[in-house]
Amino acid sequence: MQYTGSEYIGEYVNGRMEGNAKYILPTETRYVGEMMDGMFHGEGTLFFPSGSRFDAIWEKGLVVKGKYTFEDGLQYEDRHWHYCDSYDRRFYTEICFGLKPSGISQLTNMDPPRKVPPGCYDSGDGFYNPHTRVIRDYRSRFLRNAVTSESCLWGCHESQGNCQLSSRLESRAIALEGACQMLDCKGPGFTRFP
């Protein structure tokens, strides 16, 4: 653990992490669940700093079956995903609590919306700074360096003079893409984003 910056709270069998445990990654993503031979194995949940979670069944470190839930309770469905589609463009909170009266716009799923620092964009799990190409979480702690697709996404909007994301789904897709990249999702029912 000293080399990875991770923390393990649980039992060891023959020097390997085994049994029910808690594994905390340097990004503050926490895994709580079963381990076998030093790998996620059995039922376990990844809790992300953004408040979202990934409940899964694991086999030797790989996802067999899982369910991603966003911080607001919206569950991702790989089939028949109807959130914010061309037919119904409402935010999840609007679906749950109703629409605002005429003339009062809801610009984000969170109401009231977060204050975005000047020159930055809300990436769904933090704020993206196009000058440093760094994403910091909502408490201003380093989260990650932006991948090329993220930089391009905001760079394109910036060049068009539009500071809003073109789609409400983009921040959700980026959060899911990040989770999938971290998990290297290969099990049935997982879709990689282009």
Side-chain angles (χ1 to χ4, degrees), residues 76-87:
Y76 174 74
E77 298 174 22
D78 59 337
R79 292 178 182 84
H80 311 297
W81 179 249
H82 295 295
Y83 172 72
C84 205
D85 61 11
S86 60
Y87 177 73

Side-chain angles (χ1 to χ4, degrees), residues 6 29-30 36 44 54 64 108 133:
S6 300
T29 296
R30 293 174 296 127
M36 185 178 83
F54 183 71
V64 175
T108 69
R133 296 185 57 186

Side-chain angles (χ1 to χ4, degrees), residues 64-78:
V64 175
K65 181 179 180 182
K67 176 176 63 174
Y68 186 87
T69 306
F70 293 97
E71 72 282 351
D72 59 9
L74 176 66
Q75 291 183 354
Y76 174 74
E77 298 174 22
D78 59 337

Side-chain angles (χ1 to χ4, degrees), residues 117-155:
C120 295
Y121 304 94
D122 190 332
S123 65
D125 57 353
F127 297 117
Y128 169 69
N129 183 328
H131 301 295
T132 61
R133 296 185 57 186
V134 168
I135 297 174
R136 296 192 167 273
D137 70 12
Y138 295 121
R139 291 180 272 173
S140 294
R141 295 174 303 175
F142 176 82
L143 192 58
R144 68 181 179 278
N145 290 317
V147 295
T148 305
S149 62
E150 289 175 307
S151 298
C152 179
L153 172 68
W154 287 290

Side-chain angles (χ1 to χ4, degrees), residues 165-184:
L165 293 175
S166 66
S167 169
R168 296 173 180 176
L169 282 180
E170 289 175 4
S171 62
R172 299 262 191 202
I174 290 165
L176 259 176
E177 178 183 25
C180 262
Q181 284 175 351
M182 186 183 120
L183 299 170
D184 194 25

Side-chain angles (χ1 to χ4, degrees), residues 91-131:
F91 289 111
Y92 183 63
T93 52
E94 292 175 311
I95 293 168
C96 293
F97 306 112
L99 295 171
K100 299 274 183 203
S102 179
I104 300 175
S105 298
Q106 183 169 333
L107 301 176
T108 69
N109 190 52
M110 182 182 284
D111 190 42
R114 289 183 184 90
K115 279 195 124 178
V116 179
C120 295
Y121 304 94
D122 190 332
S123 65
D125 57 353
F127 297 117
Y128 169 69
N129 183 328
H131 301 295

